Amino acid sequence: MIELKGVTKLYQGQAVPAVQNLSLSINRGEICVFVGPSGCGKSTTLRMINRMIEPSSGTIEIDGKNIMSSDPDSLRMGIGYVIQQIGLLPHRTIAENIAIVPRLYKWPKEKIKSRVNELLEMMGLDPAETRNKYPSQLSGGQMQRVGVARAMAVDPSIMLMDEPFGAVDPVARNRLQDEFLRLQKEINKTIVFVTHDINEAIKMGDKIAILNQGQLIQFGTPEEILTDPANDFVENFIGYDRIVKKLNLYTVAEAMKTSFGLVDEAEFSGINAKIPNAEVIFVRDQGEQLVGYLTAEDLSAQGAQRLTQVARQKRLSFVKLNTPLPDALSLMLENDADYVAVLDGDRLCGAI
Amino acid sequence: MSWKFFSEALFQKAPHALLVHLLIVFVTVSLAIVISVPLGVLLTRRNYQRFGIVALNILNILQAVPGMAVLALALPLFGLGLKPAIIALLVQSLLPIVRNTIAGLLGVNNDVKEAASGMGMSARQILLEVELPLAMPIIISGIKTTTVYVVSVGTLASLIGAGGLGYLIMGGLALFRFEYLIVGAGLGALLSIFFDWALSYLEARITPPGIQVE
Amino acid sequence: MQFVNQNSTTIVEYTQNHFELVLTAVLISLLLWVPSGILLTKSDKWARRALAIANIIFCIPSLSLFAVFVTIPFLGLGRQSALLALVLYAMMPLMRNVYDGVKNVDRNVLEAAKGMGMSTGRIMREIRLPLGMPVIFAGFRITVVMTTGIAAIATYIGERNLGRFISEGLVRSNTNMIITGAILISVIAVGLDTFLGLVEKRVVPRGLRVRR
């Protein structure tokens, strides 16, 4: 757990503190996102946690221990640190870059080597191919992954990430975010994440701290912040599409209907009797492939022999359980469909 | 041209002159490196940065002084011989290395240093493992400038009795013995070109592969 | 001081000679190396060759170069040899800096100028040369200071200039003479360097000044 108590940073020669009397606590295994406009003090706060910057007053505790009581270098060795510019050492190979902190800990060579391979694989990079490359030979997205791998090298329980995906294009950023969230489910780190992008904050954060002019404006879960913005600043910062953004918090799994019908084409005669309460009925052919769906209205309006045609005319699309809700909705708009099928793996499990 | 004088110059006089010349070059350049690199490092450390400009200005002014004048001034100050010559040459050997060390260290990307420090590398580790390796090509280039300078001005060291290849050239000029002159001048030129080439090669070799790729 | 008073005429004569030689050498160098530096930007191949040659010449110890020219019959002892050597030395700092300055102009600026319909000659005059000025002038400054210094060495091939005080002083073990010569040259060289440093600040367009 990271606990900030009344932390203030006043730079020499400046009248207004960069960070002012900031208190908050970040729970173990949580991603806490600091978000705000540039100059709001979010990076300064992050950098105070590993003593890259020393606070002017207030205390920061990690697991109950004041960070000022430990040596800055060993403190930093125990905290993963990723910055936007990544800062890979250009004269070291990828493997050597990742091995920096393990080497500081004097791990044996074999252990370092296997850890590096493990991390590269975890990051979706081929170890054999990537190990001996130099940073300049990688793409921006790959370098970002190496940066994250390097920060995780000794499996620190805390990671500080300062706009880690800021330097890559939106498509790659999206993918990196997804991958990282998936990874976080396994590794369960305590993460402090800085961004200026509220959408990234909503997507990544378990908790969001909105900062402005060095002050903490609101601290809470994405739902809380979207539902109940503390003031006009937060409301403006989130933007007018607050409702749409809130949808982002939900996945298909949370919104789908689990009552649906499933029939084979051949059995159309007795449908009403068999599945009386379903709003939607999916239709499959003899090969058990889904081919279309019927609504309750279709059933009452059409004769049984035409049902196959009606079902097949409708474009059937599929989404996964963890697809964000807005994606599913836009798919429906695109296909002009009333329903989409939700799949859990190969199994049909719901409808929207 | 007479073959007799030519071979006399080349086989009897030149080896010793060349050795003395090499001795001057190695001693001066080694001392220059030992003094300049730490000085350059010191002048880029935060607490000493403000002295950097002053130090560079002083060295810059010294650099404008013609080498011949520096050598000449060494005579009344330190007397005749090898040591005074080396001291004189050393004065102007410092700037290229100090300047390039500073430029090289300041040229190291701040993000890289920030990341290294964020991972818990100590200031010393960052200097030895990050800053110096990355600055090394530029430092070597400074050493090259210095070496070529010392080989060149070193030919004037014979003025204050330090010997070296200049001894052959001066002798040749004084006696109108062109064979001596050609041998001395030719070896001086070859030596200088050799060092330039060798250090350029080292510079290219030492440039970390990750940087060459770009 | 006494030495200076007693030999004021000689000092004036030697200084004059020194400046004459330096001035002539620098003028010839400018006429030769500035245009060639500009021309070299047209061909990478020739640029590489010419710069390699300039570098090799620059490496040759000055005493050696003077000495070698003396042995060439139609040059001989005296001014031609000295001039030729000085001009050749200037090739490195001057031609190289002109080339670098003109060549390394921001690609985007060139692209924009081309896009506005500027001709190649116009781009050279209005963009490349002014933008390359800091580097070119730095080369000029080095050339002047360096030529002043090396010219002193030409005393060994018969030039009667400030270097002569040093060479004669050494032969006669006349410390006063040595010191006078050495300090005079040093003051002149450092003075020129400082003066040109000040000019550099004026000549270079505002906003382009090379930070040192």
Side-chain angles (χ1 to χ4, degrees):
Chain A
M1 194 172 84
I2 306 171
E3 184 127 35
L4 283 72
K5 293 178 184 161
V7 173
T8 296
K9 175 68 195 181
L10 181 63
Y11 284 108
Q12 222 168 10
Q14 282 182 4
V16 191
V19 175
Q20 205 173 344
N21 198 19
L22 188 104
S23 301
L24 56 83
S25 58
I26 300 160
N27 298 324
R28 190 178 284 276
E30 227 173 44
I31 301 184
C32 173
V33 182
F34 292 167
V35 64
S38 56
C40 69
K42 52 190 192 294
S43 284
T44 306
T45 311
L46 177 101
R47 288 156 58 86
M48 283 192 284
I49 298 174
N50 67 353
R51 289 187 64 181
M52 297 292 281
I53 297 176
E54 310 263 322
S56 314
S57 63
T59 55
I60 299 175
E61 287 174 3
I62 293 178
D63 295 329
K65 189 175 173 231
N66 190 335
I67 57 166
M68 298 311 281
S69 65
S70 34
D71 166 66
D73 289 334
S74 47
L75 174 79
R76 289 175 200 148
M77 278 160 67
I79 299 178
Y81 187 50
V82 187
I83 57 176
Q84 180 180 351
Q85 304 80 1
I86 319 173
L88 295 179
L89 307 190
H91 59 306
R92 298 283 177 81
T93 62
I94 300 308
E96 286 167 339
N97 261 289
I98 297 175
I100 293 172
V101 182
R103 231 164 23 84
L104 295 178
Y105 275 112
K106 302 199 165 57
W107 282 15
K109 268 199 184 124
E110 277 312 304
K111 188 178 172 194
I112 293 181
K113 194 174 172 195
S114 63
R115 177 65 179 157
V116 168
N117 287 347
E118 185 189 348
L119 282 163
L120 284 171
E121 259 164 40
M122 208 191 270
M123 288 291 135
L125 297 165
D126 177 17
E129 195 188 313
T130 321
R131 278 189 68 95
N132 297 318
K133 281 192 173 170
Y134 286 92
S136 56
Q137 294 169 297
L138 299 187
S139 72
Q142 288 172 320
M143 284 205 271
Q144 250 352 312
R145 280 167 229 243
V146 175
V148 174
R150 185 172 70 171
M152 297 197 322
V154 293
D155 205 15
S157 60
I158 297 173
M159 305 231 310
L160 306 179
M161 309 179 85
D162 192 348
E163 307 226 7
F165 310 134
V168 291
D169 63 89
V171 179
R173 186 183 314 148
N174 231 317
R175 209 169 51 224
L176 285 167
Q177 289 168 345
D178 291 340
E179 280 173 19
F180 189 74
L181 283 174
R182 210 178 50 230
L183 193 64
Q184 164 69 358
K185 284 213 181 95
E186 295 165 28
I187 58 180
N188 220 17
K189 307 268 181 220
T190 308
I191 292 165
V192 186
F193 192 109
V194 161
T195 178
H196 61 262
D197 176 3
I198 184 70
N199 293 315
E200 190 174 39
I202 294 168
K203 179 170 180 184
M204 304 300 288
D206 296 316
K207 291 274 182 62
I208 296 178
I210 297 184
L211 282 84
N212 188 32
Q213 293 173 350
Q215 286 176 314
L216 182 63
I217 309 292
Q218 191 171 8
F219 182 53
T221 63
E223 282 92 343
E224 284 164 5
I225 282 170
L226 286 172
T227 319
D228 187 18
N231 58 19
D232 289 351
F233 171 78
V234 177
E235 199 159 350
N236 282 329
F237 192 70
I238 297 171
Y240 296 108
D241 52 347
R242 194 146 62 89
I243 309 296
V244 180
K245 278 180 181 141
K246 203 173 166 189
L247 285 177
N248 267 313
L249 297 172
Y250 300 104
T251 58
V252 165
E254 291 158 281
M256 70 179 181
K257 296 188 172 69
T258 44
S259 62
F260 59 88
L262 179 62
V263 293
D264 293 328
E265 269 179 311
E267 305 173 9
F268 273 127
S269 47
I271 283 171
N272 282 319
K274 262 186 175 169
I275 313 136
N277 288 328
E279 216 180 290
V280 57
I281 297 156
F282 291 102
V283 179
R284 61 183 179 193
D285 63 11
Q286 274 108 344
E288 305 223 322
Q289 290 286 317
L290 289 171
V291 291
Y293 64 89
L294 296 166
T295 59
E297 293 148 45
D298 292 333
L299 290 180
S300 50
Q302 308 288 345
Q305 51 277 63
R306 292 206 55 219
L307 281 176
T308 309
Q309 271 174 300
V310 172
R312 282 192 176 243
Q313 265 165 17
K314 299 192 177 169
R315 291 174 65 187
L316 183 59
S317 24
F318 305 92
V319 292
K320 283 190 249 161
L321 261 180
N322 60 356
T323 307
L325 193 53
D327 291 0
L329 295 178
S330 61
L331 190 68
M332 289 167 76
L333 280 175
E334 223 171 87
N335 287 348
D336 193 22
D338 305 317
Y339 294 94
V340 289
V342 181
L343 296 179
D344 178 13
D346 285 336
R347 196 175 61 84
L348 184 66
C349 65
I352 289 182
Chain B
M1 286 281 181
S2 111
W3 172 249
K4 182 174 152 269
F5 286 136
F6 190 77
S7 66
E8 183 184 291
L10 188 58
F11 297 114
Q12 286 169 24
K13 308 274 184 200
H16 182 251
L18 191 62
L19 272 179
V20 173
H21 211 90
L22 283 173
L23 180 75
I24 295 175
V25 172
F26 278 121
V27 173
T28 313
V29 173
S30 312
L31 285 174
I33 295 172
V34 169
I35 298 172
S36 305
V37 174
L39 187 61
V41 170
L42 192 70
L43 291 177
T44 51
R45 298 307 100 179
R46 196 179 299 166
N47 295 341
Y48 297 93
Q49 246 169 27
R50 61 209 144 100
F51 301 116
I53 305 268
V54 183
L56 278 182
N57 275 336
I58 294 174
L59 288 174
N60 258 323
I61 292 173
L62 284 179
Q63 213 64 14
V65 178
M68 188 179 179
V70 181
L71 272 168
L73 285 172
L75 178 71
L77 289 175
F78 307 108
L80 282 168
L82 210 53
K83 253 190 260 171
I86 288 175
I87 295 173
L89 290 171
L90 191 57
V91 171
Q92 293 189 302
S93 297
L94 302 178
L95 178 73
I97 308 181
V98 174
R99 192 182 47 202
N100 281 31
T101 306
I102 292 177
L105 290 174
L106 291 184
V108 176
N109 191 324
N110 260 324
D111 302 328
V112 173
K113 283 187 269 184
E114 152 112 15
S117 141
M119 285 185 289
M121 287 175 101
S122 65
R124 190 190 151 81
Q125 282 165 327
I126 294 177
L127 176 68
L128 292 179
E129 294 189 28
V130 180
E131 296 185 90
L132 280 178
L134 286 174
M136 202 42 86
I138 301 176
I139 299 176
I140 300 267
S141 159
I143 294 174
K144 182 173 75 183
T145 308
T146 288
T147 310
V148 169
Y149 162 85
V150 177
V151 173
S152 178
V153 181
T155 53
L156 297 173
S158 62
L159 288 181
I160 57 170
L165 292 170
Y167 178 70
L168 275 177
I169 303 174
M170 296 289 182
L173 280 168
L175 303 170
F176 286 101
R177 200 163 275 175
F178 290 149
E179 296 82 0
Y180 277 47
L181 206 153
I182 293 273
V183 170
L187 283 176
L190 285 178
L191 194 62
S192 170
I193 292 166
F194 166 74
F195 276 120
D196 184 61
W197 172 82
L199 285 166
S200 296
Y201 177 75
L202 184 65
E203 187 184 330
R205 271 299 295 274
I206 213 158
T207 302
I211 295 171
Q212 273 170 337
V213 173
E214 278 168 27
Chain C
M1 262 302 127
Q2 208 191 347
F3 177 86
V4 176
N5 288 334
Q6 282 165 358
N7 297 278
S8 54
T9 31
T10 330
I11 292 177
V12 172
E13 186 206 330
Y14 285 1
T15 312
Q16 259 176 2
N17 277 339
H18 203 112
F19 270 114
E20 235 176 74
L21 178 64
V22 171
L23 207 67
T24 325
V26 169
L27 275 178
I28 298 176
S29 303
L30 281 174
L31 287 175
L32 270 180
W33 305 134
V34 174
S36 18
I38 293 173
L39 272 179
L40 285 182
T41 57
K42 306 238 179 260
S43 156
D44 283 350
K45 192 175 76 179
W46 283 101
R48 259 199 315 278
R49 290 179 185 170
L51 291 175
I53 291 172
N55 188 44
I56 289 177
I57 294 175
F58 196 68
C59 281
I60 301 173
S62 23
L63 190 61
S64 296
L65 200 59
F66 284 128
V68 169
F69 285 156
V70 170
T71 62
I72 297 170
F74 66 92
L75 290 170
L77 277 173
R79 187 143 285 186
Q80 290 99 319
S81 293
L83 270 179
L84 183 59
L86 291 177
V87 169
L88 283 177
Y89 274 120
M91 189 176 177
M92 176 70 174
L94 203 53
M95 189 175 77
R96 147 137 257 152
N97 279 39
V98 170
Y99 173 80
D100 282 350
V102 172
K103 183 92 184 172
N104 296 335
V105 171
D106 186 350
R107 203 171 283 210
N108 296 321
V109 176
L110 293 179
E111 189 75 17
K114 221 186 229 172
M116 286 185 286
M118 282 180 143
S119 66
T120 317
R122 222 191 166 79
I123 291 180
M124 182 60 76
R125 280 195 308 277
E126 294 192 14
I127 305 212
R128 285 184 184 267
L129 281 175
L131 287 183
M133 213 41 177
V135 184
I136 297 175
F137 198 87
F140 175 69
R141 181 178 167 190
I142 296 170
T143 305
V144 172
V145 176
M146 183 191 77
T147 308
T148 309
I150 300 180
I153 300 169
T155 183
Y156 284 101
I157 57 168
E159 277 290 322
R160 295 170 60 80
N161 62 23
L162 292 170
R164 177 133 305 193
F165 286 122
I166 298 176
S167 62
E168 264 189 41
L170 286 167
V171 173
R172 296 195 208 156
S173 299
N174 184 337
T175 311
N176 283 336
M177 203 172 187
I178 297 172
I179 294 179
T180 308
I183 288 183
L184 254 161
I185 304 181
S186 308
V187 168
I188 290 173
V190 173
L192 275 173
D193 188 48
T194 317
F195 170 70
L196 288 175
L198 292 176
V199 176
E200 193 172 345
K201 281 189 184 149
R202 306 218 152 233
V203 124
V204 171
R206 204 179 266 277
L208 269 189
R209 285 168 192 168
V210 196
R211 258 180 253 159
R212 293 177 165 260

